[in-house]
Amino acid sequence: MSVSVVMTVNGEVVAKHVEDRTLLVEFLREHLRLTGTHVGCDTSQCGACVVHANGKSLKSCTALAVQMDGAEITTIEGLANGDVLHPMQEAFRQNHGLQCGFCTPGMVMSAVDLVNENPDPSETEIREWLEGNICRCTGYHNIVKSISAGAKAMREGDPT
Amino acid sequence: MYEFSYHKASSLEDARSTLATAEDGKLLAGGMTLLPTMKQRLAAPTVLVDLTGIDMAGIEGKGDNIVVGAMTTHAAVASSSLVQQTIPALAALAEGIGDPQVRNRGTIGGSVANADPAADYPAALVGLGATVVTSKRSLSAEEFFTGMFETALAEDEIITAVSFPVPEAAAYQKFPNPASRYAIVGVFVAKTANGIRVAVTGAGGSVFRNAEMEQALASNFSPDAVKNIAVDSSGLNEDIHASAEYRAHLVGVMASRAVAAM
Ligand SMILES: Cc1cc2nc3c(=O)[nH]c(=O)nc-3n(C[C@H](O)[C@H](O)[C@H](O)COP(=O)(O)OP(=O)(O)OC[C@H]3O[C@@H](n4cnc5c(N)ncnc54)[C@H](O)[C@@H]3O)c2cc1C
Ligand code: FES
Ligand code: FES
């Protein structure tokens, strides 16, 4: 069966027909060609697919597109302001918070949700928050460092 | 995923009747368990009935009880100031489920209906002597959980809320699987109006109480009272994460840690 959905994705209203079984991540990647959101495990373990729905992070491989009808979605493509990176993206860049980069979109989206909730997270809080995000390259150390720096930049109200 | 049709229920009655007439209908709450199960083709419902349009999320105090609506997310229970003040052990349990994204979507109704042997909530329900409220009736947590992934729910029965009596004191301690955070063993200890209750999840096919520990704590409420009570490992779960004997040992360790935390 096919249904029509209307969502606001990165500030733009999109209306599309999807199958009932279309996952949010398929909708983003295949219907909207927003391929910054990745699929790692496809079984809700790895967090590569994390996006925000109405300001809260979720695993987009484990939500149906039709469930998001009317929702406001932000993906990694929606964070930067033109050519100026979001402070959390910039922090990952400055602190060598990525190697292959596969996990990075999910890491950054998850980190922004953390800082929205807890503007000054401790290292322990950052590590606990990353429970749902798996990285196969970095050993996490520089990711934690990046998130601390990104949180600081967000607190200081970097205008981006 | 196999093809299915999606229906967003507009009311409890709409959900119930859609479920009753569907060839193979399933309720969809947070989807954190159901959708992965469908992708793995362990379930292939023809109709999904989404409960998110029905107003069943929220937490309220009613007399001596805290009533948590079935669609309340783990994140909402964890951050509720009412739960933190009245049953802090329940808020902490919810905060320890999975990861932030699982907690943002997963619901108490879905967790309880799924009756995973390693799920956390069943320990709180049985430990506190909670009541499961459904579209048809109310039943005690002990009547509700009937086995591994099995409950007393009828095909077209929907959980609407869980009502927790506020205890004098309670604590939950789990030995989590380091990858998923599911309980390898979790023990919920509560001092309630009807005595001391000790409920164990993760160790067996379904949540169970340990009467010997409850009696020992009634006469001497201290970590040492339960630490060395031997738990029979026969019939306990055994998998790549832990042997039955190891789980049996962990029951005593987690129980004594819970008592120490109270
Ligand atoms: C990576 C990961 C880690 C996790 N870690 C933990 C953990 O540490 N501890 C833990 O306890 N759990 C854990 N979970 C499971 C999580 O708590 C799920 O949210 C929960 O088991 C199911 O809730 P749901 O709302 O997503 O239900 P769904 O997946 O939507 O549904 C689950 C089942 O319940 C039925 N159902 C849903 N709502 C109702 C209702 N109101 N009435 C009747 N039937 C209903 C559905 O038909 C389905 O059969 C984890 C899950 C994941 C993906
Ligand atoms: S792809 Fe969604 S959690 Fe791994
Ligand atoms: S940078 Fe390669 S998976 Fe994280």
Side-chain angles (χ1 to χ4, degrees):
Chain A
M1 277 221 299
S2 149
V3 281
S4 64
V5 292
V6 182
M7 281 178 232
T8 307
V9 179
N10 299 333
E12 268 179 50
V13 177
V14 294
K16 295 259 182 197
H17 283 280
V18 297
E19 280 189 273
D20 290 11
R21 62 176 156 177
T22 303
L23 298 168
L24 176 60
V25 71
E26 291 168 350
F27 178 73
L28 296 170
R29 287 179 57 85
E30 291 162 27
H31 296 234
L32 304 182
R33 309 303 297 168
L34 291 170
T35 53
T37 302
H38 293 164
V39 179
C41 64
D42 197 30
T43 52
S44 38
Q45 315 284 324
C46 77
C49 64
V50 169
V51 302
H52 295 184
N54 300 322
K56 287 269 155 213
S57 59
L58 94 171
K59 292 171 178 172
S60 61
C61 72
T62 312
L64 300 172
V66 323
Q67 287 181 288
M68 294 296 138
D69 191 30
E72 258 186 59
I73 307 289
T74 307
T75 71
I76 190 75
E77 289 91 344
L79 280 190
N81 183 0
D83 286 342
V84 183
L85 292 178
H86 183 279
M88 190 59 76
Q89 291 174 303
E90 184 59 32
F92 270 70
R93 195 167 96 111
Q94 295 295 337
N95 291 280
H96 198 60
L98 58 144
Q99 289 181 20
C100 80
F102 193 85
C103 69
T104 315
M107 288 286 176
V108 171
M109 296 310 289
S110 187
V112 171
D113 189 22
L114 166 64
V115 178
N116 285 341
E117 224 173 79
N118 177 0
D120 191 5
S122 67
E123 176 177 340
T124 308
E125 287 169 334
I126 294 172
R127 288 186 184 272
E128 277 174 3
W129 185 269
L130 293 182
E131 180 60 42
N133 292 85
I134 294 173
C135 174
R136 299 193 72 175
C137 306
T138 62
Y140 301 96
H141 192 71
N142 283 358
I143 293 179
V144 175
K145 226 167 103 184
S146 303
I147 295 174
S148 273
K152 184 159 182 282
M154 283 171 70
R155 279 199 306 279
E156 286 165 7
D158 210 307
T160 50
Chain B
M1 253 196 294
Y2 282 111
E3 209 170 334
F4 57 82
S5 66
Y6 168 91
H7 175 76
K8 186 165 184 169
S10 55
S11 66
L12 200 57
E13 180 46 32
D14 178 30
R16 201 203 53 75
S17 63
T18 312
L19 203 57
T21 51
E23 188 192 321
D24 183 5
K26 266 226 171 273
L27 298 170
L28 175 65
M32 295 309 300
T33 295
L34 183 56
L35 295 177
T37 310
M38 288 167 63
K39 288 186 194 178
Q40 292 165 324
R41 309 209 158 184
L42 296 171
T46 53
V47 179
L48 283 194
V49 182
D50 189 351
L51 297 175
T52 46
I54 310 174
D55 187 17
M56 292 201 291
I59 301 166
E60 57 176 338
K62 269 195 194 157
D64 293 335
N65 289 269
I66 300 297
V67 182
V68 181
M71 290 299 287
T72 311
T73 62
H74 310 330
V77 172
S79 65
S80 156
S81 52
L82 180 60
V83 179
Q84 286 169 358
Q85 280 158 20
T86 54
I87 322 180
L90 185 62
L93 176 148
E95 181 68 28
I97 295 176
D99 58 55
Q101 290 75 35
V102 168
R103 295 194 290 274
N104 278 344
R105 300 284 296 165
T107 66
I108 190 168
S111 175
V112 168
N114 199 48
D116 190 305
D120 295 302
Y121 268 127
L125 267 72
V126 171
L128 292 167
T131 302
V132 179
V133 185
T134 76
S135 49
K136 289 196 163 112
R137 55 189 165 151
S138 290
L139 58 180
S140 74
E142 279 160 291
E143 293 168 313
F144 180 85
F145 295 107
T146 54
M148 189 179 274
F149 296 109
E150 280 185 13
T151 68
L153 283 177
E155 289 284 327
D156 63 344
E157 190 169 5
I158 302 169
I159 300 171
T160 57
V162 180
S163 177
F164 294 95
V166 175
E168 281 168 42
Y172 177 64
Q173 288 287 318
K174 76 166 154 173
F175 191 82
N177 175 318
S180 70
R181 300 281 141 183
Y182 272 108
I184 289 178
V185 168
V187 179
F188 200 101
V189 178
K191 274 187 185 170
T192 75
N194 301 315
I196 288 164
R197 297 170 71 99
V198 175
V200 182
T201 190
S206 179
V207 56
F208 60 86
R209 284 172 69 183
N210 186 307
E212 207 181 331
M213 289 186 181
E214 291 177 355
Q215 280 153 20
L217 289 171
S219 53
N220 171 20
F221 196 83
S222 79
D224 286 340
V226 287
K227 203 181 209 151
N228 296 317
I229 292 182
V231 174
D232 183 5
S233 65
S234 60
L236 294 192
N237 300 336
E238 192 147 55
D239 54 29
I240 55 164
H241 308 298
S243 65
E245 291 74 23
Y246 186 55
R247 281 191 162 88
H249 175 69
L250 280 178
V251 174
V253 177
M254 292 302 121
S256 66
R257 283 190 194 169
V259 172
M262 284 168 71

